[in-house]
Amino acid sequence: MAAPIEIRGFQYWPGHLDVSAQSTLLSDLRAVVAAAPLYSPVTPGGRPMSVRMTSAGRLGWITDQRGYRYETHHPAGQPWPPIPPAVLDIWHALTGLARAPDCCLVNFYGEGAKMGLHQDRDEGDFSFPVLSISLGDEALFRMGGPNRTDPTESLWLKSGDVLLMGGPARLAWHGIDRLRFRSSRLLPGGGRINLTLRVVEGATSPLSS
Ligand code: MD6
Ligand code: FE
Protein backbone atom coordinates (compact mmCIF):
# COMPACT_ATOMS: atom_id res chain seq x y z
CA MET A 1 0.00 0.00 0.00
CA ALA A 2 1.42 3.38 -0.98
CA ALA A 3 1.89 5.85 1.86
CA PRO A 4 -0.73 8.61 1.90
CA ILE A 5 0.03 12.26 1.31
CA GLU A 6 -0.70 14.37 4.39
CA ILE A 7 -2.56 17.66 3.86
CA ARG A 8 -3.76 19.65 6.87
CA GLY A 9 -3.99 16.44 8.86
CA PHE A 10 -6.07 14.69 6.19
CA GLN A 11 -4.50 11.56 4.69
CA TYR A 12 -4.86 11.44 0.93
CA TRP A 13 -4.39 8.53 -1.47
CA PRO A 14 -4.70 9.98 -4.99
CA GLY A 15 -5.72 7.39 -7.59
CA HIS A 16 -6.05 4.63 -5.01
CA LEU A 17 -8.70 2.84 -7.10
CA ASP A 18 -7.98 1.94 -10.73
CA VAL A 19 -10.70 2.17 -13.37
CA SER A 20 -11.68 -1.46 -12.96
CA ALA A 21 -12.07 -1.09 -9.16
CA GLN A 22 -14.08 2.11 -9.76
CA SER A 23 -16.42 0.27 -12.17
CA THR A 24 -16.92 -2.55 -9.68
CA LEU A 25 -17.86 -0.05 -6.97
CA LEU A 26 -20.20 1.70 -9.35
CA SER A 27 -22.13 -1.49 -10.10
CA ASP A 28 -22.30 -2.27 -6.36
CA LEU A 29 -23.70 1.23 -5.82
CA ARG A 30 -26.33 0.76 -8.51
CA ALA A 31 -27.67 -2.12 -6.38
CA VAL A 32 -27.60 0.09 -3.26
CA VAL A 33 -29.52 2.85 -5.05
CA ALA A 34 -32.04 0.33 -6.43
CA ALA A 35 -32.85 -0.75 -2.84
CA ALA A 36 -32.55 2.72 -1.28
CA PRO A 37 -33.21 5.39 -3.95
CA LEU A 38 -31.38 8.73 -3.93
CA TYR A 39 -33.57 11.49 -2.52
CA SER A 40 -33.19 15.25 -2.17
CA PRO A 41 -32.60 16.14 1.48
CA VAL A 42 -33.64 19.35 3.20
CA THR A 43 -31.58 21.09 5.89
CA PRO A 44 -33.07 21.67 9.35
CA GLY A 45 -33.45 25.29 8.23
CA GLY A 46 -35.73 24.11 5.41
CA ARG A 47 -33.31 24.58 2.50
CA PRO A 48 -33.09 21.88 -0.16
CA MET A 49 -29.56 20.52 -0.58
CA SER A 50 -28.15 20.37 -4.12
CA VAL A 51 -26.74 16.85 -3.64
CA ARG A 52 -28.96 13.79 -3.70
CA MET A 53 -28.37 11.26 -0.96
CA THR A 54 -28.86 7.74 0.32
CA SER A 55 -27.03 5.37 2.67
CA ALA A 56 -25.96 1.77 3.13
CA GLY A 57 -25.27 0.05 6.44
CA ARG A 58 -26.92 -0.40 9.81
CA LEU A 59 -27.50 3.36 10.00
CA GLY A 60 -27.99 6.09 7.46
CA TRP A 61 -27.41 9.81 7.88
CA ILE A 62 -30.54 11.92 7.50
CA THR A 63 -31.34 15.61 7.45
CA ASP A 64 -34.83 17.08 7.46
CA GLN A 65 -36.75 19.78 9.31
CA ARG A 66 -36.30 17.77 12.54
CA GLY A 67 -32.51 17.97 12.35
CA TYR A 68 -29.39 16.00 11.46
CA ARG A 69 -29.24 12.41 12.74
CA TYR A 70 -28.73 8.75 11.96
CA GLU A 71 -31.71 6.49 11.29
CA THR A 72 -32.09 2.74 10.73
CA HIS A 73 -34.46 3.22 7.78
CA HIS A 74 -34.63 5.13 4.49
CA PRO A 75 -37.18 7.99 4.52
CA ALA A 76 -39.42 5.78 2.33
CA GLY A 77 -39.53 3.15 5.11
CA GLN A 78 -37.19 0.29 4.11
CA PRO A 79 -34.03 -0.59 6.05
CA TRP A 80 -30.78 0.57 4.43
CA PRO A 81 -29.09 -2.08 2.26
CA PRO A 82 -25.78 -3.56 3.44
CA ILE A 83 -22.49 -1.79 2.71
CA PRO A 84 -20.93 -3.53 -0.33
CA PRO A 85 -18.01 -5.82 0.66
CA ALA A 86 -15.66 -4.05 -1.80
CA VAL A 87 -16.31 -0.79 0.07
CA LEU A 88 -15.67 -2.45 3.45
CA ASP A 89 -12.38 -3.84 2.10
CA ILE A 90 -11.15 -0.30 1.35
CA TRP A 91 -12.15 0.85 4.85
CA HIS A 92 -10.28 -1.98 6.59
CA ALA A 93 -7.21 -1.68 4.36
CA LEU A 94 -6.76 2.08 4.77
CA THR A 95 -7.92 2.63 8.37
CA GLY A 96 -6.29 -0.53 9.73
CA LEU A 97 -9.36 -0.92 11.96
CA ALA A 98 -11.03 -4.27 12.68
CA ARG A 99 -14.27 -2.39 13.51
CA ALA A 100 -16.58 -2.04 10.51
CA PRO A 101 -18.31 1.26 9.78
CA ASP A 102 -22.00 1.60 10.65
CA CYS A 103 -22.81 3.93 7.79
CA CYS A 104 -21.80 4.47 4.20
CA LEU A 105 -23.32 7.79 3.20
CA VAL A 106 -23.75 8.10 -0.57
CA ASN A 107 -23.81 11.63 -1.99
CA PHE A 108 -24.57 12.21 -5.66
CA TYR A 109 -23.53 15.51 -7.28
CA GLY A 110 -25.20 16.44 -10.56
CA GLU A 111 -24.26 19.51 -12.60
CA GLY A 112 -23.97 22.56 -10.32
CA ALA A 113 -24.23 20.61 -7.05
CA LYS A 114 -21.98 21.55 -4.14
CA MET A 115 -21.73 21.11 -0.40
CA GLY A 116 -21.26 23.97 2.03
CA LEU A 117 -18.47 24.06 4.58
CA HIS A 118 -19.39 21.73 7.46
CA GLN A 119 -18.06 19.48 10.21
CA ASP A 120 -19.07 15.82 10.51
CA ARG A 121 -20.15 15.69 14.12
CA ASP A 122 -23.31 13.63 14.37
CA GLU A 123 -21.32 10.51 15.28
CA GLY A 124 -20.91 9.33 18.87
CA ASP A 125 -17.13 8.81 18.97
CA PHE A 126 -14.75 11.16 17.17
CA SER A 127 -11.78 8.88 17.84
CA PHE A 128 -12.92 6.93 14.76
CA PRO A 129 -11.99 8.45 11.40
CA VAL A 130 -14.25 9.18 8.42
CA LEU A 131 -13.11 7.70 5.10
CA SER A 132 -14.16 9.30 1.83
CA ILE A 133 -14.11 7.71 -1.65
CA SER A 134 -14.63 9.80 -4.81
CA LEU A 135 -16.04 8.46 -8.10
CA GLY A 136 -16.82 10.32 -11.33
CA ASP A 137 -16.35 14.00 -12.01
CA GLU A 138 -13.60 16.05 -10.36
CA ALA A 139 -14.63 18.21 -7.43
CA LEU A 140 -12.96 21.06 -5.61
CA PHE A 141 -12.64 20.00 -1.96
CA ARG A 142 -11.94 22.70 0.61
CA MET A 143 -10.21 21.73 3.85
CA GLY A 144 -9.94 23.95 6.88
CA GLY A 145 -9.28 23.48 10.57
CA PRO A 146 -11.37 22.87 13.69
CA ASN A 147 -12.68 26.46 13.69
CA ARG A 148 -14.91 27.69 10.91
CA THR A 149 -12.73 30.73 10.32
CA ASP A 150 -9.43 28.78 10.07
CA PRO A 151 -7.58 29.23 6.77
CA THR A 152 -8.46 26.67 4.11
CA GLU A 153 -6.65 24.83 1.36
CA SER A 154 -8.31 23.30 -1.70
CA LEU A 155 -7.75 20.12 -3.64
CA TRP A 156 -9.34 18.72 -6.81
CA LEU A 157 -10.63 15.25 -5.87
CA LYS A 158 -10.64 12.84 -8.82
CA SER A 159 -12.31 9.53 -9.52
CA GLY A 160 -10.60 6.80 -7.48
CA ASP A 161 -9.15 9.16 -4.86
CA VAL A 162 -9.54 8.25 -1.21
CA LEU A 163 -9.25 10.62 1.76
CA LEU A 164 -9.17 9.91 5.49
CA MET A 165 -10.24 12.48 8.04
CA GLY A 166 -9.01 11.33 11.45
CA GLY A 167 -7.03 12.33 14.51
CA PRO A 168 -6.67 16.10 14.85
CA ALA A 169 -8.38 16.59 11.45
CA ARG A 170 -11.49 14.61 12.45
CA LEU A 171 -13.46 17.76 13.25
CA ALA A 172 -11.98 19.93 10.51
CA TRP A 173 -14.38 22.06 8.48
CA HIS A 174 -14.64 20.96 4.84
CA GLY A 175 -16.89 21.19 1.81
CA ILE A 176 -17.21 20.92 -1.97
CA ASP A 177 -17.12 24.26 -3.79
CA ARG A 178 -17.79 23.03 -7.31
CA LEU A 179 -17.66 20.24 -9.83
CA ARG A 180 -15.95 19.96 -13.20
CA PHE A 181 -19.07 18.49 -14.76
CA ARG A 182 -18.34 15.72 -17.29
CA SER A 183 -14.59 15.75 -16.52
CA SER A 184 -14.78 11.96 -15.98
CA ARG A 185 -16.32 9.29 -18.17
CA LEU A 186 -17.10 6.91 -15.32
CA LEU A 187 -20.76 7.96 -15.04
CA PRO A 188 -22.41 7.96 -18.48
CA GLY A 189 -24.60 10.97 -17.61
CA GLY A 190 -21.84 12.84 -15.79
CA GLY A 191 -21.79 13.68 -12.10
CA ARG A 192 -19.93 12.61 -9.01
CA ILE A 193 -20.49 10.09 -6.25
CA ASN A 194 -18.86 10.51 -2.86
CA LEU A 195 -18.99 7.75 -0.26
CA THR A 196 -18.23 8.55 3.37
CA LEU A 197 -17.79 5.68 5.79
CA ARG A 198 -18.46 6.34 9.45
CA VAL A 199 -18.55 4.62 12.81
CA VAL A 200 -21.65 6.04 14.49
CA GLU A 201 -21.87 4.24 17.87
CA GLY A 202 -22.40 6.34 20.97
CA ALA A 203 -25.02 7.65 23.36
CA THR A 204 -26.65 9.92 20.79
CA SER A 205 -27.28 7.03 18.40
CA PRO A 206 -30.95 6.10 17.88
CA LEU A 207 -29.89 2.49 18.58
CA SER A 208 -29.51 3.27 22.27
CA SER A 209 -33.22 4.01 22.68
C1 MD6 B 1 -17.51 15.16 -0.66
N1 MD6 B 1 -17.02 14.99 1.63
O1 MD6 B 1 -16.36 14.80 -0.91
C2 MD6 B 1 -17.87 15.60 0.70
N2 MD6 B 1 -16.73 14.30 5.07
O2 MD6 B 1 -18.39 15.16 -1.49
C3 MD6 B 1 -17.22 15.12 2.93
O3 MD6 B 1 -18.11 15.80 3.39
C4 MD6 B 1 -16.32 14.41 3.82
O4 MD6 B 1 -14.64 14.02 2.19
C5 MD6 B 1 -15.98 13.68 5.96
C6 MD6 B 1 -14.76 13.13 5.63
C7 MD6 B 1 -14.29 13.24 4.36
C8 MD6 B 1 -15.08 13.89 3.42
FE1 FE C 1 -18.25 15.77 5.52
Side-chain angles (χ1 to χ4, degrees), residues 118 120 174 198:
H118 66 276
D120 287 33
H174 58 279
R198 300 115 185 279

Side-chain angles (χ1 to χ4, degrees), residues 39 41-44 49 53-55 59-76 80 103 105 122:
Y39 61 92
V42 175
T43 66
M49 293 181 72
M53 202 171 270
T54 191
S55 287
L59 292 168
W61 187 81
I62 292 277
T63 171
D64 60 19
Q65 308 250 16
R66 289 166 47 212
Y68 300 139
R69 64 197 180 277
Y70 285 92
E71 292 279 4
T72 55
H73 290 68
H74 186 282
W80 305 105
C103 171
L105 176 65
D122 300 315

Side-chain angles (χ1 to χ4, degrees), residues 94-118:
L94 294 187
T95 65
L97 293 170
R99 169 82 152 88
D102 301 307
C103 171
C104 173
L105 176 65
V106 180
N107 284 320
F108 176 78
Y109 295 72
E111 189 168 14
K114 56 192 177 173
M115 183 167 301
L117 216 56
H118 66 276

Side-chain angles (χ1 to χ4, degrees), residues 29-38 78:
L29 292 170
R30 291 197 203 286
V32 166
V33 167
L38 292 166
Q78 68 276 42

Side-chain angles (χ1 to χ4, degrees), residues 4-164:
I5 297 169
E6 182 118 356
I7 308 174
R8 288 185 172 269
F10 289 70
Q11 289 177 288
Y12 176 46
W13 290 265
H16 180 69
L17 304 170
D18 63 19
V19 173
S20 129
Q22 294 170 37
S23 304
T24 302
L25 284 194
L26 190 59
S27 47
D28 290 346
L29 292 170
R30 291 197 203 286
V32 166
V33 167
L38 292 166
Y39 61 92
S40 297
V42 175
T43 66
R47 288 196 205 196
M49 293 181 72
S50 59
V51 298
R52 291 192 294 147
M53 202 171 270
T54 191
S55 287
R58 202 160 63 90
L59 292 168
W61 187 81
I62 292 277
T63 171
D64 60 19
Q65 308 250 16
R66 289 166 47 212
Y68 300 139
R69 64 197 180 277
Y70 285 92
E71 292 279 4
T72 55
H73 290 68
H74 186 282
Q78 68 276 42
W80 305 105
I83 301 176
V87 174
L88 293 175
D89 287 347
I90 299 167
W91 165 271
H92 291 296
L94 294 187
T95 65
L97 293 170
R99 169 82 152 88
D102 301 307
C103 171
C104 173
L105 176 65
V106 180
N107 284 320
F108 176 78
Y109 295 72
E111 189 168 14
K114 56 192 177 173
M115 183 167 301
L117 216 56
H118 66 276
Q119 289 173 298
D120 287 33
R121 51 179 314 145
D122 300 315
E123 301 72 34
D125 185 345
F126 301 137
S127 68
F128 288 102
V130 178
L131 187 79
S132 144
I133 302 172
S134 293
L135 295 170
D137 290 339
E138 297 171 15
L140 189 59
F141 183 64
R142 184 188 290 269
M143 291 165 286
N147 300 302
R148 203 182 193 298
T149 53
D150 288 338
T152 64
E153 190 169 337
S154 294
L155 180 70
W156 281 98
L157 290 177
K158 299 184 174 60
S159 197
D161 288 359
V162 182
L163 195 73
L164 187 72

Side-chain angles (χ1 to χ4, degrees), residues 22 135-138 159 180-187 190-191:
Q22 294 170 37
L135 295 170
D137 290 339
E138 297 171 15
S159 197
R180 278 182 182 138
F181 190 64
R182 290 198 180 279
S183 53
S184 158
R185 288 189 307 194
L186 187 71
L187 301 176

